[in-house]
Amino acid sequence: MTNTVLVVDGPFEAGTDLVVEGLSAARVPVFRMDTRDFPSKLELQAINVDGCWVGSLVTEHRRLSLGDVRAVYWNRPGLFEFPDLSESDAHWARGAARIGLGGILSSLEARWMNHPARASAAEFKPRQLKVARAAGLVVPKTLITNSPEAVRCFVQQLGEVPLVTKPLGVPTVMHHSHLETMYTRPVDLGGLGGVEVTAHLFQEQVPKGFEVRMIVIGGACHSVRIDATSDAARMDWRADYGALKYTPIPTPGPVSTSVRAYMTVMGLTYTALDFVVRPDGVWVFLEANPSGQWAWLHEELPLAALISHTLEEWCST
């Protein structure tokens, strides 16, 4: 038996390369795959023996015994693709692949960063705010609605506090001619048409001293201060990366304690959290992404080494 780290990622996750390099340097066996390689480049063989799945994953060059997997790094794998099938047949095949391959992978007796079921459940922003508040974090006043009138009432409740809106789901929309990215933006009460189409999130605009991206790995909090120098970046730092300055900072003890409680409730071993730090020094939780990207902060913090070292420790136990 060879204790192995299973790495399941997609085609655009450059940070995973750094994690795999770290594991290889430590001589930890790694089997890397993308779910979208199934079934054209990946073969599954699994039989249930006394309640356990026994079998292997096979590529052109490698074979992995399911029983050898001790740790799994799950990082945005691709969607199943069946280009040779009709759309109706492809829809059926994707469902079978999700339940079959996905079911075998999710049944592995290993430590996960993160288990896909836990990561999926942790993506719901309304639940994030509820759990964060229960864990002791400060959260902004928030409205989720499809009613324009409810938005106007919420504004009256807030008084003079400005209101912003941000996407609840994927922050991009593919139009016929271009891709549109939706950033946090101020609310125009005269332009609420379309609110009734689906659920929207409206939130009090928290005064900003600066912002923080926190990466939590295996219970340890790693915080980076983000200072913005443009109007677009001050509203939403994702809108103008060139106007950002990053500085690693310590995480206040009470915030770390609350974040660890949040992680326990969510069942996560990794997440990326966003905070606004008010001018009075209070950290206000905005949201968390259980599959949040981290490679762009690699120069500020040794995140790849921290992830690979955690996986190495899990693999050896």
Side-chain angles (χ1 to χ4, degrees), residues 2-224:
T2 303
N3 290 357
T4 302
V5 175
L6 174 61
V7 174
V8 186
D9 75 323
F12 306 112
E13 297 303 323
T16 309
D17 293 338
L18 301 173
V19 172
V20 171
E21 289 173 7
L23 290 169
S24 299
R27 300 185 181 277
V28 177
V30 176
F31 185 94
R32 187 174 184 179
M33 57 166 279
D34 185 351
T35 49
R36 76 171 188 167
D37 291 337
F38 179 84
S40 59
K41 299 178 183 178
L42 178 69
E43 180 181 283
L44 168 66
Q45 304 170 13
I47 184 170
N48 191 279
V49 178
D50 296 329
C52 296
W53 288 104
V54 178
S56 59
L57 295 167
V58 184
T59 68
E60 182 181 359
H61 305 289
R62 297 280 307 279
R63 176 184 292 270
L64 170 68
S65 171
L66 298 176
D68 287 347
V69 179
R70 290 292 176 271
V72 182
Y73 182 59
W74 185 277
N75 189 24
R76 299 172 183 259
L79 300 176
F80 297 107
E81 297 179 348
F82 296 90
D84 298 329
L85 300 181
S86 67
E87 180 51 39
S88 59
D89 288 347
H91 177 75
W92 177 87
R94 283 192 292 269
R98 174 180 171 272
I99 298 300
L101 177 61
I104 294 297
L105 293 178
S106 65
S107 298
L108 291 172
E109 296 181 1
R111 299 185 70 175
W112 288 77
M113 188 183 293
N114 288 301
H115 193 287
R118 295 288 192 176
S120 179
E123 289 180 348
F124 292 96
K125 291 182 181 179
R127 182 168 182 248
Q128 291 178 9
L129 293 167
K130 178 180 176 64
V131 174
R133 182 66 186 89
L137 295 170
V138 178
V139 302
K141 295 183 177 67
T142 304
L143 167 71
I144 295 176
T145 187
N146 67 330
S147 166
E149 183 57 32
V151 179
R152 298 185 184 97
C153 292
F154 189 53
V155 169
Q156 293 179 354
Q157 294 172 17
L158 292 179
E160 297 182 359
V161 178
L163 188 67
V164 297
T165 184
K166 58 185 68 174
L168 277 168
V170 178
T172 55
V173 178
M174 177 61 73
H175 299 287
H176 292 296
S177 59
H178 68 284
L179 180 70
E180 178 186 5
T181 301
M182 297 178 290
Y183 299 112
T184 301
R185 63 188 187 276
V187 173
D188 177 10
L189 292 180
L192 294 178
V195 169
E196 68 279 359
V197 171
T198 189
H200 291 74
L201 183 149
F202 298 91
Q203 203 167 65
E204 64 173 326
Q205 184 175 348
V206 181
K208 294 180 182 179
F210 56 91
E211 294 186 71
V212 168
R213 166 56 70 97
M214 180 192 297
I215 305 294
V216 184
I217 301 169
C221 301
H222 309 277
S223 297
V224 175

Side-chain angles (χ1 to χ4, degrees), residues 118 127 131 135 216 219 257-269:
R118 295 288 192 176
R127 182 168 182 248
V131 174
V216 184
T257 299
S258 293
V259 167
R260 283 193 287 270
Y262 175 93
M263 297 287 287
T264 298
V265 172
M266 291 296 197
L268 303 173
T269 57

